[in-house]
Amino acid sequence: MKKNTAEIAGLKPDYLGFIFWDKSKRHFSGPMKPIPHTIKKVGVFVNASIETVIARIQDYDLLLVQLHGSESPEYCAELKQKAKQVEIIKVFSIKNDFDFEALKPYESVCDYYLFDTKGKLPGGNGYSFDWGVLKDYPSAKPYFLSGGIGLDEVDSLKEFMTRSEAKYCHAIDVNSKFEIEPGLKNVEKVKEFKKALSIK
């Protein structure tokens, strides 16, 4: 998110993500326009040093960090210790199935999980995974649902939210399906998505 941050912020999302991975086409740098405090700023990182993450937290007053790489439970614990005011979202990629045992070491060191589609890149691949995999979700930790979610998925999302596995679904993460180009969102499409899901 960069090119029309203010317009998207005007739609009052709960969270707004900024990608600090320099290999991403959506890489964010430079000054950030003021964002209402009601919107939580999320910094997205991929195997960054803890020092780098803390620097970006301080630079941009981030309230959450989304860890999209192979960050270990020990990494998360150290980050939580050094940045106590920030919540941690640990990302796990899913293709056709997922071993939920992988979550156990992170239970005490992360605040949220995010389930995304496994692809060539860590995020932003534009494809959905089979949400039915989450029927085996063993945790009570809230999670973000991600991975190629757009207007075509509205009916599927509504149906998913009636299932027991959606009990701990905390938020819907959208990105590539609403882009005109990397970092530039189609505001009208985002409006339509919110309205279709009856999100006020």
Side-chain angles (χ1 to χ4, degrees):
M1 181 69 60
K2 183 175 182 180
K3 299 176 182 177
N4 58 347
T5 301
E7 289 181 272
I8 294 297
L11 300 181
K12 300 179 181 179
D14 295 315
Y15 301 92
L16 207 51
F18 298 87
I19 297 175
F20 295 104
W21 184 47
D22 58 9
K23 294 181 182 179
S24 173
K25 293 180 289 185
R26 306 175 181 93
H27 178 243
F28 182 88
S29 62
M32 183 183 292
K33 293 182 180 179
I35 293 172
H37 293 301
T38 51
I39 300 173
K40 295 181 179 180
K41 288 180 283 187
V42 184
V44 181
F45 300 90
V46 181
N47 297 326
S49 69
I50 286 179
E51 292 72 24
T52 296
V53 175
I54 290 174
R56 295 295 85 74
I57 289 170
Q58 295 171 343
D59 290 344
Y60 296 103
D61 295 322
L62 303 176
L63 292 179
L64 298 94
V65 295
Q66 181 176 313
L67 303 177
H68 230 299
S70 56
E71 297 87 359
S72 68
E74 292 76 21
Y75 176 105
C76 296
E78 182 179 348
L79 180 57
K80 183 168 275 293
Q81 179 62 32
K82 292 182 175 179
K84 293 182 173 68
Q85 78 281 17
V86 173
E87 293 183 303
I88 296 175
I89 306 168
K90 183 67 186 85
V91 178
F92 294 90
S93 297
I94 296 176
K95 195 170 184 181
N96 298 319
D97 53 25
F98 183 70
D99 181 4
F100 285 99
E101 287 292 311
L103 303 181
K104 285 186 177 180
Y106 292 90
E107 280 287 305
S108 63
V109 294
C110 295
D111 300 283
Y112 303 95
Y113 297 132
L114 184 149
F115 297 113
D116 198 3
T117 308
K118 181 171 270 187
K120 292 181 180 179
L121 298 172
N125 292 290
Y127 301 100
S128 299
F129 67 91
D130 179 5
W131 302 335
V133 171
L134 295 172
K135 69 181 184 300
D136 297 320
Y137 184 61
S139 175
K141 192 175 294 295
Y143 66 84
F144 289 63
L145 184 65
S146 188
I149 296 173
L151 287 168
D152 291 342
E153 283 67 46
V154 166
D155 289 342
S156 298
L157 272 174
K158 287 181 175 180
E159 193 275 328
F160 173 77
M161 296 307 293
T162 66
R163 301 187 211 165
S164 59
E165 54 263 38
K167 179 179 180 181
Y168 296 108
C169 183
H170 172 72
I172 306 299
D173 179 270
V174 299
N175 190 7
S176 55
K177 287 285 187 75
F178 292 92
E179 286 187 322
I180 298 167
E181 61 182 64
L184 180 64
K185 297 293 184 290
N186 185 318
V187 176
E188 291 306 315
K189 276 192 173 183
V190 177
K191 282 182 183 177
E192 187 178 346
F193 183 75
K194 286 189 66 178
K195 182 177 180 181
L197 286 180
S198 301
I199 300 173
K200 297 181 180 179

